[in-house]
Amino acid sequence: MNERFAAAARLLPDYLSQHVLLSAAALALGFLISVPLVVMASRSARVRWPVLGFASVVQTVPSLALLALFYPLLLALSSASRHVFGHGFSALGFLPSLLALTLYSMLPILRNGVTGLANLDPAVIEAARGVGMTERQRLLRIELPLAAPVLMAGLRTAAVWVIGGATLSTPVGQTSLGNYIFSGLQIEDWVSVLFGCIAAVALALMADQLLGLIEAGVAKRKPRKIWLGVGLLVAGVAAAGVGSVAAGSRSTYVIGAKNFAEQYILAALMADRIKKEGYSSTSRVDLGSVIAFRALASNGIDAYIDYSGTVWSTVMNRHDAPPRLQMLEEMRVQLRREHGVLLLGALGFENAYALAMRRDRAEALGIRTIADLAQHAPALRIGGDFEFFARSEWRALRDRYGLRFRQQRQFQPTFLYRAATSDEVDVISAASSDGRIKAYDLVVLEDPQQVIPPYDAIVLVSPARAADPVLHRALEPLVGAIPIDLMREANYMVDRDTDRMPPGKVAQWLESAIHLHP
Amino acid sequence: MISFQNVSKSFDEGRDFAVRDVSFSVAPKAFVALVGDSGSGKTTLLKMINRLIEPDRGLVCVAGESVQSVPGYSLRRRIGYVFQGIGLFPHMSVAENVGITPLLLGWPKPQIAARAAELIDLVELPRSYLARMPSELSGGQQQRVGVARALAARPSIMLMDEPFGALDPVTRDTLGSEYRRLHESMGLTTVMVTHDVMEAVLLGDRIIVVRQGEIVADGAPHQLLTEHPDAGVRALMDMPRRQAERVRILMQERTRRE
């Protein structure tokens, strides 16, 4: 408990400063865009309804979806810019998060601003015209100062929304307090989840209080309160800026990871190896499967571990299943040629999609292979992770073996194994390197027709780092060094129900277990 | 000083006219009361003088020049405007409210402060009120500040739209007669809209009766009080006379009983 708390606390400066910078940038941008729109909307009904309507629609889009939608959009823009200007930009991380959160922040500011201006005393407006103010003078001297408290209240609401919403920027590769929550959820580290929640809530409350101070200062016309609030906010953002610059200057390499225990462990292992070479690194964790490769190909991250079968089907769009070595060789050539990505080598174990059942149930039904399973399938229920049923492997399995299940359900990976043991489903999609297969006494069904392609864990390096000697020195010793049993054992240390260890610790254990150094 | 030549205004593209083909002029230093029922067009007439409302047709001139020849805001800085809503700026002190038009005209700060002090004396409020916020004043005090604000940039014309209509009768009477004195002493030209004929009779030296966008009577109060061919005007002007008559009888009865 204490150890996990300490591990979480160590990450706080980086996560918090990134979170603060992202939220502050989104709010500032949202405010700067919204205020002119508010003024235009208050002057003309033709602007008012489209603007408020658009902001309301944006608000109804789930924030995670909004973030996810900006990724392909920016990717397209980036490749367009690469064609036109000769260089693109990273479609991952800060930019999509900033844009989505900016949009998200606009509704409360717009709505309050328009309401604030619309509800001003008409006598005051008439007086402003009567004493000889121009439109602009009326706006700056009378309307905006009088509507400011309502506008500030809108900014406060926006701040709370944005700080909460920023936790969702983790899956598009932006470090935030959401890293605690997403990683914690994957490996059932509730200390980490709680730590992230509390930190985000505390940050939101603090921002809300400071903006409240400014709001009160504006409403009661106490300049001292306004400047105190502004000063503290600016100081907070500046501190975050310093913190993140400090973190940024220390790290030379960026290691990516998808969203499960094995990926966290291997990312930590790679980071350790780089550190031993005397260089620092940061990690981008919880990347979506396809996002990770795109990020690598566009140099958003420098290296990560993927699986040959995944790359084969999702990146190369191949649906045949050649023998292992032939597949790796073709992949090495094609990735280098088409994406500039270096396939450094295979780690030595496979993490393949497999179908698994509880041992007692499988034995009772006499099921050993997927072919056996097909005969019983109409009476059975299958559970998969969010990706599984959309993948070509599942379609291939289903069609080749003629699998028809009674029911098909989706689970978060963490809950998938539970679902099998608690008899919510009969068959699950499992990962062959998962420690829980052994721990929960599941059996992996054989695939006699070899429908599922090999899933060797492979080290991929970005085009920009393909010839980087440090990365080669650090990562080459890992090639062929991790047998399946060792990886399962390591995974289980993170995934087991009691006495769980943080991935970083397990990486150290794994490193000493594979005798990388004398 | 002010003249209207064949001025018309419609708010619904010509179906109804708020003001229909009106011509009249106001001499310098006159105190003109515009009276009529609500919706008669008297406020529209008033607001066309400082271009808070633009005429559809016709020509409005101030000091011999068309009001269209200068931007509206610049015209309004030269013309005082006081209205029933008062409209003090709630986020500014009394001094800032009074000094707003001189500020917009770019007067130096010390001169604005001196002018605010001068005006607060003129409308008979204590100088300590300069630092107060409008919300700390009573309705009558607020309108005194309203009058001071309108006078701040030394306009020669004052437009007043039911200026004391929302105040209690005693305050209304006091402010009315005080303003009349300011009008005299400062040599102002005043156009005041009111639906209170008594007020018009007591303050104005010329009354213009407006009905359905047209002028139906125009003359000195005593002329309109004695006789007029129009029945409506007679009924309107009868009211102050009847009231005065009743008060006179009441007073006589009291004297007799004593």
Side-chain angles (χ1 to χ4, degrees), chain B residues 86-231:
Chain B
I86 305 178
L88 295 186
F89 305 125
H91 58 306
M92 298 183 186
S93 70
V94 168
E96 287 169 320
N97 266 283
V98 172
I100 188 72
T101 306
L103 182 77
L104 298 176
L105 288 167
W107 291 19
K109 283 234 166 87
Q111 203 181 328
I112 296 175
R115 181 65 179 155
E118 191 182 335
L119 281 159
I120 211 76
D121 295 345
L122 220 51
V123 298
E124 297 180 7
L125 286 174
R127 286 215 175 172
S128 61
Y129 277 40
L130 284 171
R132 294 203 181 178
M133 299 307 280
S135 58
E136 299 171 87
L137 309 182
S138 72
Q141 291 169 336
Q142 287 189 15
Q143 194 56 300
R144 284 173 190 270
V145 176
V147 171
R149 179 174 67 181
L151 290 170
R154 303 185 202 282
S156 52
I157 297 174
M158 285 287 277
L159 304 180
M160 309 186 93
D161 187 1
E162 307 264 13
F164 312 124
L167 306 176
D168 66 84
V170 178
T171 312
R172 186 191 315 179
D173 184 57
T174 317
L175 279 181
S177 43
E178 280 182 26
Y179 176 72
R180 174 75 216 197
R181 277 200 298 280
L182 286 176
H183 167 86
E184 304 287 345
S185 64
M186 300 173 84
L188 298 166
T189 305
T190 300
V191 181
M192 178 189 281
V193 163
T194 178
H195 64 268
D196 181 348
V197 185
M198 189 63 117
E199 190 176 53
V201 167
L202 292 177
L203 295 179
D205 34 43
R206 176 179 166 196
I207 293 176
I208 294 177
V209 182
V210 186
R211 190 199 301 146
Q212 290 177 348
E214 293 177 79
I215 293 177
V216 290
D218 181 354
H222 63 92
Q223 286 174 331
L224 297 192
L225 279 171
T226 46
E227 64 198 85
H228 200 274
D230 186 282

Side-chain angles (χ1 to χ4, degrees), chain A residues 121-134 137 141-143 145-146 221, chain B residues 47 51-52 73 76-77 81 83 85-92 100-101 103-104 149:
Chain A
D121 182 359
V124 170
I125 303 304
E126 186 175 346
R129 298 186 65 205
V131 299
M133 288 189 186
T134 61
Q137 287 167 333
R141 288 180 184 275
I142 308 296
E143 292 177 318
L146 289 178
R221 306 181 207 296
Chain B
K47 287 185 174 175
R51 285 183 62 187
L52 286 177
Y73 62 86
R76 289 189 280 272
R77 289 173 191 176
Y81 180 61
F83 63 111
I86 305 178
L88 295 186
F89 305 125
H91 58 306
M92 298 183 186
I100 188 72
T101 306
L103 182 77
L104 298 176
R149 179 174 67 181

